[in-house]
Amino acid sequence: MSTASRGPLRLGTRKSLMATTQSQGVADALAQLTGHAVELVGVTTQGDVSKALLAQIGGTGVFVNALRDKVLSGEVDFAVHSLKDLPTSETPGIVLAATPARDDPRDALCGPAKLADLPRGARIGTGSPRRVAQLRALRPDLEIVPIRGNADTRLRKVTDGELDAVVLAHAGLKRIGRLDAVAEVFEPDQMLPAPGQGSLALECRADRDDLRALLGTVDDAPTRRTVTAERTVLAVLEAGCSAPVGTYAAEVDEKLHLTATVAAYDGSRQVRLSASGHPDAAEQLGRDLAARLLAQGADQLMGERD
Ligand SMILES: NCc1[nH]cc(CCC(=O)O)c1CC(=O)O
């Protein structure tokens, strides 16, 4: 089956504004680089249908599986995901064909003031243990309120006065056109992002070599290396996207730098370590750093919950 003879490429995407914006960006880039028309196919995932279910089964994979099913059945040619929503385990029959150039990986505080200027006991909304733990380490006085829902819903809780601020990914806010809500962007030394945050993932069937090559045209090698280092830490720690694990990798002067943290859920303790290495040894760098985190008690920390 040649890709060229089958009409437009069908791109499977979730239907939210954030997802369709990022998918359209990929579609446009592919069309420009390869001359192939790309059409978006909206797919409803379990995570979109039921908030209760999302809470029950946890974040890992709920946004991903419905898209993967459509890729495997051939209903779509490939899918675009937020990389940080992808479990680290491999899926039989599916390959990660490309990671396009990463958007800003940092987290952002959305509200009327910077973190240091919020009043004592201010109410901050986030459902992510990683963000909870790092916020508590920065400002132990804050009241942290668990929230769910899409970015717009969360931002509305601030404008409605229910919360003083919320923490969201800068990349997502940019994609939905809401950077106006940002009061402060956290530097990695304040808050380490989720592994792969700000990156996209293009997945297709492993047996479609022609398509893999075509999708590979939008791959960005430095992004691939940095997210490989970050996600290897997560994989070795056997943690998912809802674990209190933060990472940040970047290439500077032809070296790959990686920092990772594992925090207790109550933010009382964190282990945080850094390492540098050759960019072509990203996986080894991640593995070694994870081993050092474990040696310093990372698994005990992750086991402690309030
Ligand atoms: N867990 C939901 C999710 N998945 C990806 C993003 C943002 C975009 C990205 O990280 O690529 C978000 C929202 C958020 O964390 O604020």
Side-chain angles (χ1 to χ4, degrees), residues 25 41 171 194 199 215 228 256 274:
V41 179
S199 296
L215 299 177
T228 296
L256 181 58
S274 297

Side-chain angles (χ1 to χ4, degrees), residues 42-301:
V43 175
T44 303
T45 70
Q46 277 185 319
D48 297 312
V49 172
S50 165
K51 276 186 202 168
L53 194 66
L54 182 60
Q56 197 188 325
I57 57 187
T60 309
V62 282
F63 295 128
V64 170
N65 292 337
L67 286 170
R68 284 181 167 168
D69 287 347
K70 305 267 179 202
V71 169
L72 285 170
S73 71
E75 278 176 75
V76 302
D77 294 299
F78 68 107
V80 175
H81 311 273
S82 287
L83 181 60
K84 82 167 178 183
D85 295 334
L86 289 192
T88 52
S89 56
E90 298 213 348
T91 307
I94 295 216
V95 286
L96 179 57
T99 53
R102 187 179 204 173
D103 281 327
D104 194 326
R106 297 175 297 171
D107 283 308
L109 184 74
C110 301
K114 294 186 174 197
L115 190 69
D117 300 328
L118 289 172
R120 270 196 76 75
R123 291 165 57 81
I124 314 296
T126 176
S128 146
R130 173 185 62 82
R131 288 171 178 151
V132 171
Q134 296 188 92
L135 277 173
R136 285 186 179 162
L138 290 168
R139 281 281 307 262
D141 63 291
L142 297 175
E143 184 186 340
I144 298 177
V145 181
I147 54 167
R148 295 190 178 276
N150 65 29
D152 260 321
T153 309
R154 297 178 192 213
L155 290 171
R156 211 169 310 121
K157 292 184 193 280
V158 179
T159 33
D160 288 353
E162 195 182 319
L163 295 170
D164 293 302
V166 292
V167 180
L168 290 163
H170 187 283
L173 290 163
K174 182 173 174 200
R175 291 174 197 147
I176 63 166
R178 288 305 312 270
L179 285 179
D180 60 290
V182 173
E184 177 174 16
V185 182
F186 291 116
E187 291 304 324
D189 64 353
Q190 295 172 286
M191 185 171 301
L192 286 169
Q197 185 162 301
S199 296
L200 302 179
L202 277 60
E203 287 190 328
C204 72
R205 265 169 61 158
D207 60 3
R208 301 221 19 215
D209 288 338
D210 54 339
L211 186 56
R212 281 170 80 167
L214 198 148
L215 299 177
T217 57
V218 296
D219 191 60
D220 180 66
T223 296
R224 172 77 75 140
R225 294 189 290 258
T226 50
V227 299
T228 296
E230 294 176 5
R231 284 171 59 78
T232 301
V233 173
L234 193 65
V236 174
L237 294 175
E238 292 178 340
C241 70
S242 61
V245 175
T247 59
Y248 178 61
E251 288 186 20
V252 184
D253 297 333
E254 287 167 40
K255 279 207 133 183
L256 181 58
H257 301 275
L258 172 65
T259 303
T261 186
V262 175
Y265 277 87
D266 67 358
S268 58
R269 259 186 345 122
Q270 288 190 67
V271 184
R272 186 190 168 102
L273 294 172
S274 297
S276 303
H278 193 279
D280 291 337
E283 203 176 317
Q284 193 60 49
L285 188 66
R287 248 201 298 274
D288 291 348
L289 195 63
R292 286 174 53 208
L293 285 164
L294 287 168
Q296 297 212 8
D299 47 351
Q300 271 115 305
L301 272 182

